[in-house]
């Protein structure tokens, strides 16, 4: 095969590098560890890195006599560490979900919330807040539960519609429509029904963040990633079949309609688990699969694992930046991902297109 | 053609008279109102707006509960024609007058409701009372010829001091012809506050964290505003006095690092004070603070944390909790 043919595959707009997959995975894993190290050592309180690693070592082996305050130990072990791990799990989930959504809809602009998950989740949280359920001490449980159940509602509607109208576009258009309906309901509830004090809490949640991440919150996205994420990677070969076209895939034995529904459900569940824990974080699910495709090409079994690693790195980095940029205020993570991610993506796109022409 | 001409004339006459009726209905006062002339016109600047009063206002609308209470203390109960909010518990001696004042809305009344009540003075206690987006800006009121007064707690970026409170009450007293009552109120607040701060002056101030609300990020009281003044007078040090806003967001890491020895919980809203205390006690970062270890919590109702005589009550409660050995 000629050089030119190796460099571009039909169906992708991007060239891919010739570095083998395992090397990429190794390099990205090391980068992820590096970013996690940075995350645990940074925050609005400056803790010298010697102390940080002494605390971690002491927690694992118990062989160091503590000279640090209990507050600092708690900051490292109970706040920064679970927060970094949750961010990594959510970033990986969103990236895998986004990549799968783009593959199954063959739309480069699809994101994990394409079935209206984030609007539904947001509405769940708004309702729970307005009814006062999040105020009690079990509020830490109520908010993610409300977000998750709320995220399922648009999915259920889309599923219902797909049983009646059996085209690929129907499910997605329904998702868009229900997403808009829930967005409008959110606005209405916030402006008309909610009282001033509840507004602030809800808006903070919708902007997305890991401020209340504890060890108990890391479990949810980790479980979703391990189950749904693995399932999607395993189904990668079938995802690639869809590129051949509807009739071609069916001729090759793939039940396209059922398969599409299953994938979109998995995507929404992944997105729902992420949103439940982290609020509405945009851009990661949309951009990271494209970055991964630039690195290893568009074949699902190569793309999805790499996307997971890149997504984890990106979100941990964004969250660390968001909380250590200023001593006074923690920026919402969603703002950082958008403001930083978009220009970087435009630059990458421009350079790739220049090379291709 | 004559018929068409007549139709046009009749409809013109009807529409003009209907419009005249509508405008005159809005213009005429609900009650005649007794004009109370002031000895001499009063002019002052309040929060950047210059106000002039030739006669004492007779139809006052108050936008916040603590404003209503202050005006009742000044003896203006029979001149308040409506209030916003209205759900707070008034002081027992003011309860009867409070019950007589109609509450115009659950929160702030709309511009239409306010105009309908035909006030000649609107007094707000928080910046949100004159929210521009909702059409209630001070300029909008000025265009309708209605003077507005805003308590300076929410319009100044400097540290709040008793001088600002004194200026506000004195100006209100001058405008409404109640200078004596205003002077008496200022004197009472100042002397009560001095009494408390003198009693705790000997002891070291206790590092304190004020918790308003917030799960992922806590909302606390900054160095500007009444809250800080209360803590300082009660013998405490506000650990976030370096922030230049009345209320400010911070992070749990910062709070744990600054190690407060006492926590003041502001009581209001859906979550009860007990629930807030339980939340703080179970928070992994807050567990490490001396305040949580010793269970040193002080609960203060948010109603007592505004620019009103009630700030003395909260100062006293906090001082007694921070310095149990002092005689307050």
């Amino acid at each position: 095969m000629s050089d030119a043919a190796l460099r571009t595959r039909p169906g992708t707009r991007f060239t891919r590098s010739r570095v083998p997959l395992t090397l990429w995975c190794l390099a990205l894993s090391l980068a992820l560890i590096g970013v996690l190290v940075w995350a645990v050592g940074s925050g609005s309180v400056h803790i010298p890195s010697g102390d940080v690693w002494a605390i971690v070592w002491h927690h694992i082996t118990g062989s160091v006599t503590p000279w640090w305050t209990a507050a600092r130990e708690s900051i490292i072990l109970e706040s920064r560490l679970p927060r970094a791990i949750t961010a990594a799990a959510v970033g990986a989930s969103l990236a895998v979900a986004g990549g799968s959504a783009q593959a199954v809809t063959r739309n480069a602009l699809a994101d994990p919330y394409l079935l209206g998950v984030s609007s539904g989740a947001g509405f769940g949280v708004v309702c729970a807040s307005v009814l006062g359920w999040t105020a009690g001490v079990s509020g830490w449980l109520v908010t993610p539960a409300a977000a998750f159940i709320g995220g399922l509602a648009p999915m259920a509607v889309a599923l219902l519609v797909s049983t009646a109208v059996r085209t690929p576009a129907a499910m997605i258009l329904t998702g868009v429509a229900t997403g808009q309906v829930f967005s409008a309901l959110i606005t209405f509830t916030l402006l008309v029904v909610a009282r001033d004090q509840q507004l602030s809490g809800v808006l903070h949640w919708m902007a997305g963040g890991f401020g209340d991440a504890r060890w108990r919150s890391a479990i949810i996205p980790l479980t979703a990633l391990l189950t749904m994420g693995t399932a999607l990677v395993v189904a990668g070969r079938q995802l690639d079949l869809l590129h051949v076209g509807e009739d071609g895939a069916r001729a090759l034995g793939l039940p396209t309609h059922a398969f599409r529904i299953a994938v979109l459900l998995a995507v929404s569940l992944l997105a729902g688990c992420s949103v439940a824990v982290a609020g509405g974080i945009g851009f990661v699910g949309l951009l990271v699969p494209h970055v991964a495709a630039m690195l290893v090409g568009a074949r699902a079994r190569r793309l999805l694992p790499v996307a997971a690693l890149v997504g984890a790195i990106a979100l941990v980095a964004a969250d660390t930046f968001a909380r250590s940029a200023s001593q006074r205020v923690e920026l919402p993570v969603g703002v950082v991902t958008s403001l930083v991610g978009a220009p970087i993506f435009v630059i990458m796109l421009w350079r790739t297109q220049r090379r291709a022409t | 053609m004559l018929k068409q001409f007549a139709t046009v004339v009749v409809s013109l006459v009807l529409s003009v008279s209907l419009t005249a009726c509508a405008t005159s209905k809005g213009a005429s006062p609900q009650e005649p109102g007794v004009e109370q002339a002031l000895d001499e016109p009063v002019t002052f600047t309040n929060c950047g707006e210059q106000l002039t009063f030739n006669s004492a206002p007779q139809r006052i609308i108050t936008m916040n509960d603590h404003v209503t209470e202050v005006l009742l203390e000044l003896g203006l109960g029979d001149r308040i024609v409506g209030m916003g909010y209205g759900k707070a518990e008034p002081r027992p001696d003011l309860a009867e007058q409070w019950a007589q004042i109609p509450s115009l809305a659950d929160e702030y009344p709309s511009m239409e409701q306010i105009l309908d009540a035909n006030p000649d003075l609107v007094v707000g206690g928080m910046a949100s009372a004159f929210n521009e987006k909702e059409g209630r800006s001070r300029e909008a009121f000025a265009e309708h010829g209605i003077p507005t007064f805003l308590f300076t707690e929410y319009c100044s970026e400097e540290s709040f001091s008793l001088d600002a409170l004194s200026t506000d009450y004195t100006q209100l007293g001058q405008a409404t012809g109640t200078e004596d009552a205003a002077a008496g109120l200022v004197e009472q607040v100042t002397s009560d506050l001095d009494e408390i701060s003198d009693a705790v002056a000997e002891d070291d101030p206790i590092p304190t964290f004020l918790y308003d609300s917030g799960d992922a990020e806590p909302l606390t009281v900054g160095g500007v505003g009444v809250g800080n003044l209360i803590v300082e007078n009660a013998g405490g040090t506000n650990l976030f006095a370096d922030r230049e806003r009345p209320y400010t967001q911070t992070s749990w890491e910062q709070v744990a690092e600054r190690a407060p020895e006492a926590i003041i919980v502001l009581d209001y809203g859906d979550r009860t004070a007990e629930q807030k205390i339980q939340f703080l006690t179970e928070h992994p970062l807050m567990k490490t603070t001396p305040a949580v270890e010793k269970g040193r919590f002080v609960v203060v109702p948010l109603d007592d944390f505004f620019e009103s005589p009630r700030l003395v009550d909260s100062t006293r409660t906090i001082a007694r909790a921070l310095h149990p050995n002092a005689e307050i």
Side-chain angles (χ1 to χ4, degrees):
Chain A
M1 251 179 149
S2 70
D3 248 348
L6 267 175
R7 259 191 282 121
T8 54
R9 285 182 72 249
T12 67
R13 294 186 338 222
F14 308 109
T15 59
R16 81 166 164 182
S17 68
R18 290 209 237 167
V19 177
L21 180 66
T22 36
L23 212 56
W24 270 121
C25 286
L26 199 61
L28 288 172
S29 304
L30 286 174
L32 179 60
I33 292 172
V35 149
L36 284 171
V37 164
W38 177 48
V40 172
S42 310
S44 54
V45 170
H46 176 72
I47 302 179
S49 38
D51 288 7
V52 171
W53 298 108
I55 291 173
V56 174
W57 189 249
H58 172 75
H59 186 70
I60 299 173
T61 62
S63 60
V64 187
T65 358
W67 66 83
W68 50 82
T69 61
R72 291 194 167 185
E73 177 163 337
S74 190
I75 288 175
I76 300 294
L77 297 174
E78 303 286 338
S79 174
R80 290 189 190 170
L81 207 47
R83 190 169 172 158
I85 292 185
T86 310
V90 169
S93 299
L94 289 176
V96 169
S100 308
Q102 287 165 5
V104 83
T105 60
R106 281 179 288 153
N107 180 348
L109 294 179
D111 72 11
Y113 308 127
L114 82 174
L115 286 190
V117 170
S118 78
S119 311
F123 185 60
V125 171
V126 166
C127 285
S129 291
V130 165
L131 290 168
W133 294 344
T134 54
V137 186
S138 52
W140 67 268
L141 197 57
V142 172
T143 309
F148 188 72
I149 295 173
L152 290 181
M155 210 166 81
V157 172
L159 201 58
L160 268 172
V161 167
S162 74
T163 56
V165 186
R166 296 188 142 245
T167 60
M171 212 172 165
I172 293 140
L173 286 174
T174 316
V176 171
T178 38
Q180 294 284 20
V181 167
F182 279 111
S183 284
L185 285 173
I186 290 173
T187 312
F188 168 75
T189 316
L190 283 179
L191 290 181
V192 175
V193 179
R195 282 168 290 155
D196 289 338
Q197 310 142 3
Q198 296 160 334
L199 219 67
S200 161
V202 173
L203 286 176
H204 263 99
W205 183 90
M206 286 172 65
F210 297 98
D212 48 358
R214 316 266 180 89
W215 286 112
R216 66 191 178 203
S217 37
I219 296 176
I220 302 170
L222 271 174
T223 317
L225 183 64
L226 287 172
T227 51
M228 298 289 146
T230 321
L232 284 168
V233 172
V234 165
R237 210 169 271 164
Q238 279 88 345
L239 273 172
D240 291 332
L241 271 182
L242 286 175
H243 277 289
V244 187
E246 190 78 9
D247 296 327
R250 220 174 279 145
L252 287 166
L254 181 70
T256 50
H257 188 68
F259 179 69
R260 196 173 280 116
I261 292 177
V263 170
L264 286 174
L265 284 183
V267 164
S268 297
L269 279 172
L270 264 177
C273 288
S274 300
V275 168
V277 157
I281 298 179
F283 246 79
V284 173
L286 175 63
L287 288 188
V288 169
H290 288 287
V291 172
M294 285 185 209
L295 297 179
V296 294
R299 285 229 299 266
R301 281 201 179 164
R302 295 168 61 90
L303 176 83
L304 294 181
V306 169
L309 285 168
V310 175
I313 294 169
L315 203 52
V316 173
D319 178 58
T320 311
F321 179 74
R323 60 185 163 84
S324 39
S326 156
Q327 255 211 356
R328 319 210 121 205
V329 110
E330 287 198 8
L331 306 169
V333 174
V335 169
V336 175
T337 53
S338 303
L339 286 179
V340 173
I344 291 177
F345 183 71
V346 168
I347 293 169
M348 286 182 85
L349 193 59
W350 179 65
R351 289 173 66 196
T352 324
Q353 292 294 44
R354 233 173 26 130
R355 239 191 300 152
T357 53
Chain B
M1 193 171 134
L2 193 62
K3 201 169 157 194
Q4 284 166 334
F5 181 72
T7 321
V8 169
V9 168
V10 167
S11 39
L12 271 176
V13 167
L14 272 175
S15 49
V16 167
S17 50
L18 276 171
T19 324
C21 281
T23 46
S24 67
K25 186 172 176 220
S28 65
Q30 311 273 46
E31 306 165 348
V34 177
E35 278 255 322
Q36 183 183 335
L38 297 166
D39 291 337
E40 49 188 45
V42 170
T43 308
F44 53 76
T45 310
N46 162 256
C47 282
E49 297 257 326
Q50 195 177 44
L51 301 170
T52 307
F53 293 91
N54 293 309
S55 60
Q58 296 297 312
R59 303 182 53 80
I60 306 174
I61 287 186
T62 54
M63 299 291 267
N64 298 93
D65 286 341
H66 64 283
V67 173
T68 312
E69 227 181 38
V70 169
L71 292 190
L72 286 179
E73 300 255 15
L74 291 179
L76 296 168
D78 49 353
R79 292 196 240 169
I80 304 178
V81 298
M83 63 178 172
Y85 287 88
K87 295 214 187 76
E89 277 283 322
R91 281 185 146 163
D93 50 332
L94 303 171
E96 208 183 302
Q97 293 185 64
W98 184 286
Q100 310 243 340
I101 303 173
S103 168
L104 297 178
D106 282 342
E107 292 182 350
Y108 291 122
S110 68
M111 188 57 157
E112 284 187 12
Q113 287 172 312
I114 297 171
L115 292 176
D116 195 46
N118 198 30
D120 50 14
L121 174 65
V122 176
V123 186
M126 296 169 74
S128 52
F130 298 119
N131 187 328
E132 192 178 325
K133 202 66 199 279
E134 296 177 17
R136 284 195 313 265
S137 67
R138 296 185 80 190
E139 289 77 30
F141 279 107
E143 281 170 26
H144 286 278
I146 302 171
T148 52
F149 190 94
L150 176 62
F151 279 20
T152 42
E153 180 191 0
Y154 277 87
C155 72
S156 165
E157 274 177 20
E158 296 156 10
S159 241
F160 183 79
S161 67
L162 276 187
D163 289 338
L165 183 145
S166 165
T167 311
D168 279 349
Y169 292 4
T170 311
Q171 285 177 344
L172 275 174
Q174 286 170 348
T176 55
T178 53
E179 285 105 330
D180 294 335
L185 197 59
V186 171
E187 173 61 38
Q188 185 196 322
V189 171
T190 313
S191 65
D192 284 347
L193 218 54
D194 284 342
E195 201 184 304
I196 300 171
S197 55
D198 286 342
V200 297
E202 292 168 355
D203 302 327
D204 292 328
I206 311 272
T208 311
F209 166 63
L210 291 101
Y211 177 64
D212 178 289
S213 59
D215 286 355
E217 285 106 28
L219 187 67
T220 185
V221 169
V224 171
V226 172
N228 199 54
L229 179 81
I230 291 172
V231 173
E232 306 273 310
N233 275 290
T237 309
N238 178 6
L239 287 171
F240 288 92
D242 53 326
R243 305 291 175 90
E244 283 154 15
R245 300 173 71 170
Y247 288 88
T248 178
Q249 210 95 46
T250 181
S251 70
W252 292 114
E253 282 192 13
Q254 283 285 335
V255 179
E257 177 73 1
R258 297 184 190 199
E261 290 179 27
I263 298 177
I264 299 173
V265 174
L266 298 182
D267 190 12
Y268 74 100
D270 285 333
R271 208 175 250 191
T272 66
E274 290 78 37
Q275 286 171 331
K276 287 184 181 177
I277 292 176
Q278 191 174 358
F279 169 74
L280 290 170
T281 315
E282 289 171 0
H283 194 282
L285 292 186
M286 293 305 290
K287 267 191 218 170
T288 64
T289 59
V292 171
E293 280 172 9
K294 295 179 199 153
R296 215 163 167 194
F297 291 96
V298 190
V299 177
V300 167
L302 186 69
D303 287 335
D304 292 357
F305 241 65
F306 289 106
E307 187 185 325
S308 80
R310 286 206 196 198
L311 65 87
V312 174
D313 295 339
S314 50
T315 313
R316 195 174 288 130
T317 311
I318 296 170
R320 282 187 183 145
L322 293 184
H323 302 277
N325 296 324
E327 286 171 18
I328 304 162

